[in-house]
Amino acid sequence: MQIADKPVRVHWRHRGKPAVAQPMKPGTLAKPTPGTPNPVTGKPTQSTKYAARTRAHCETVLRAFYDFHLDEGTGPIINPFPLDRSRHGRRANAHRSPKGAFKDERKGRYRPTIPKRIPRRVPDELFNQLFAQLKYNRDRALVAFWISTGARAEELLTNLQRDPSPGEQVIGVVRKGTRDYQQLPASADAFVWLRLYQQETWQNGVPRGRGEPLWWTLRRPWRPLNYPAARAMFNRANDLLGSNWTLHDLRHTASYRMAQDPDLSLVDVQWVLAHKELSTTQVYLTPSKDEVISNVLAHHDRQARLREAPAPTQPAAGYNPNSLGILFGGSA
């Protein structure tokens, strides 16, 4: 997997046809070379090689697969994906005390090291440009809810028409891990865009009812909006700007905005994001690269102004109250 390229997926409309370069849509910008940073967002683009996280996941699955067959006696004599030599053939945390914490041990001998990534956020000026590229009120309402509630994309897409409560300015979602129902506060703009979207779709004949889905496709036959369709909508706006933001980056952006607000406690942000540990929420206190660069450049500007400032005038010769002679009672 370190050497081979990822297989190229051909769209179902072009299967069985000769490979021809597709013309670019008018208004879209040229995409950067795969594996290089995006010039707008700074995020690395998808490379032609497999990512380290993908290789680590495959190594874990294959090692567990061969361990199972070794225990059952239906597999090879040895596991082709062994553990690290320091383990002496034992599993991770084999003799850990139930009261002790888990140790961060390397599992597989051939497992790649996964770099720790800092969550990316969309800067405010770029978000305004991205929001301006959205064509329909449904898309504007979705993005406004994602950026104000911090909900995951799939959590918001499974909403029913009874979940939004404009009077209380909250919207209910089913959490991904616990499957708990939780009401999240949202911005007033999100409910304005939602009302405009509902008025348009109800006039066109979209099913209406408290138990019906909230988000629908814009063309007949009416179908509930799913994640691939929402991602395609967001990617079309990305193509117009030449960026590569994802739907999950909107959750990171909302988390950063709430965590950086001095009037909002970090515990409140933890509750909104449904994080089990407060340490997970503390990641969003880390400044982004753009913030660090702007702060350091401002520091250099202040230092330059101090160097250019005129030097303070020296006191006249004679009495000096700071001289050692005056301080110790001797002559200057």
Side-chain angles (χ1 to χ4, degrees), residues 46-326:
Q46 291 187 358
S47 175
T48 57
K49 304 293 183 181
Y50 288 97
R53 191 174 298 273
T54 304
R55 290 187 276 116
H57 173 74
C58 293
E59 191 269 344
T60 302
V61 172
L62 291 173
R63 177 162 34 81
F65 172 80
Y66 284 109
D67 280 342
F68 171 79
H69 283 284
L70 278 173
D71 296 338
E72 297 294 328
T74 58
I77 300 177
I78 61 174
N79 193 331
F81 296 90
L83 294 173
D84 195 17
R85 288 187 177 91
S86 60
R87 295 281 189 81
H88 302 289
R90 300 176 300 178
R91 63 179 176 86
N93 298 283
H95 300 286
R96 181 189 66 87
S97 172
K99 298 181 180 180
F102 284 92
K103 296 181 180 180
D104 188 10
E105 298 181 2
R106 187 177 175 88
K107 292 185 177 180
R109 187 185 304 175
Y110 306 114
R111 185 180 180 85
T113 302
I114 302 176
K116 188 176 182 180
R117 297 181 299 181
I118 299 177
R120 296 271 187 169
R121 67 175 181 88
V122 185
D124 294 341
E125 60 276 5
L126 292 181
F127 174 77
N128 294 335
Q129 298 178 15
L130 185 66
F131 193 84
Q133 303 300 329
L134 302 176
K135 298 174 57 178
Y136 305 103
N137 291 329
R138 180 205 64 183
D139 305 338
R140 299 185 184 102
L142 270 170
V143 173
F145 274 113
W146 277 323
I147 201 66
S148 61
T149 62
R152 298 176 180 88
E154 194 67 29
E155 293 174 348
L156 202 63
L157 290 173
T158 55
N159 280 138
L160 301 179
Q161 294 185 19
R162 63 169 176 262
D163 292 330
S165 179
E168 301 177 1
Q169 202 170 327
V170 294
I171 184 171
V173 298
V174 177
R175 284 306 186 179
K176 175 184 176 182
T178 60
R179 311 306 300 172
D180 293 336
Y181 185 81
Q182 182 179 356
Q183 287 185 323
L184 301 177
S187 63
D189 295 341
F191 289 98
V192 174
W193 292 116
L194 175 63
R195 189 59 177 174
L196 294 174
Y197 152 69
Q198 287 180 321
Q199 285 296 111
E200 294 177 355
T201 54
W202 287 342
Q203 292 177 1
N204 294 333
V206 169
R208 181 174 182 177
R210 290 178 55 83
E212 295 290 343
L214 180 61
W215 310 105
W216 294 85
T217 56
L218 299 176
R219 297 175 180 84
R220 296 179 183 270
W222 307 118
R223 297 182 303 274
L225 187 69
N226 55 17
Y227 182 82
R231 182 178 59 185
M233 170 272 297
F234 198 70
N235 287 340
R236 285 193 291 270
N238 271 324
D239 293 339
L240 296 176
L241 293 179
S243 56
N244 62 342
W245 302 115
T246 62
L247 293 179
H248 202 68
D249 289 333
L250 299 179
R251 173 176 167 86
H252 294 324
T253 305
S255 305
Y256 268 110
R257 289 182 177 182
M258 290 185 286
Q260 298 296 331
D261 189 351
D263 297 330
L264 191 62
S265 66
L266 198 63
V267 180
D268 296 337
V269 182
Q270 178 190 8
W271 183 88
V272 172
L273 300 178
H275 286 161
K276 183 179 179 181
E277 302 293 340
L278 186 62
S279 58
T280 307
T281 314
Q282 289 175 345
V283 176
Y284 297 102
L285 296 177
T286 306
S288 64
K289 181 190 69 174
D290 298 334
E291 292 175 345
V292 173
I293 292 177
S294 61
N295 292 337
V296 175
L297 290 179
H299 163 74
H300 293 324
D301 292 340
R302 290 191 297 268
Q303 294 296 320
R305 287 194 295 269
L306 289 176
R307 290 193 297 268
E308 295 174 357
T313 57
Q314 297 295 332
Y319 172 71
N320 185 4
N322 295 327
S323 61
L324 294 178
I326 297 298

